[in-house]
Amino acid sequence: MSQSIDQSRRNLFSRRKTNVIRPPWIKTDQLFTDNCTRCDKCITACETSIIKQGDGGFPEIDFSLGECTFCQKCVDACPEPVFERAQSLPWSITASIKENCLTYEGVWCQSCKDACDPRAISFIMAVGQVPKPVIDTDACNGCGACVSPCPADAIIIGHPS
């Protein structure tokens, strides 16, 4: 019985894994939430206004508002040690296409491809079918430019599973 009580206590104080996207170049989500004072300096510094106040007041990314240009203004504005300034990649997130993509319903749409600067989204032609999107996860930088133009809300940006 004491083992189940100990396990309950551990579960009470353990951090749950979150699907929230934090600003680019953070060290880890845990270090971010442990050290972020929720001063909102990164939110006001963001040139595309995609950083918003999320759960608990912690900054998070909302790609429905636009894309990340990797300007690093959020990093420069933050007075806390939450960012890895020397880190080369901003994050390890990439885009993926959900099943409600219009192309799966036979509708010709390539709005995601048109918005993708790194050209990570291409379309595969098939005889008698509308071209289907394919994401090159090696080329995708997770900027989120493809999210807001999608008329079906069929693109999600997240950590690889």
Side-chain angles (χ1 to χ4, degrees), residues 6 44 144:
D6 288 342
T44 56

Side-chain angles (χ1 to χ4, degrees), residues 2-13:
S2 71
Q3 185 177 10
S4 64
I5 292 171
D6 288 342
Q7 184 64 36
S8 299
R9 286 184 186 147
R10 270 194 293 267
N11 289 341
L12 177 67
F13 295 109

Side-chain angles (χ1 to χ4, degrees), residues 51-62:
I51 303 175
K52 66 176 191 174
Q53 201 174 63
D55 194 24
F58 291 103
E60 60 186 56
I61 302 294
D62 183 350

Side-chain angles (χ1 to χ4, degrees), residues 17-19 21 92-97 137 156-161:
K17 188 168 173 97
T18 179
N19 291 328
I21 305 297
S92 63
I93 58 174
T94 57
S96 61
I97 309 287
T137 55
I156 55 173
I157 306 289
H159 298 282
S161 48

Side-chain angles (χ1 to χ4, degrees), residues 137-155:
T137 55
D138 290 333
C140 179
N141 62 14
C143 72
C146 56
V147 175
S148 65
C150 178
D153 193 29
I155 300 176

Side-chain angles (χ1 to χ4, degrees), residues 80-96:
E80 303 304 325
V82 297
F83 291 98
E84 184 67 53
R85 296 177 197 280
Q87 188 174 321
S88 60
L89 294 175
W91 44 35
S92 63
I93 58 174
T94 57
S96 61

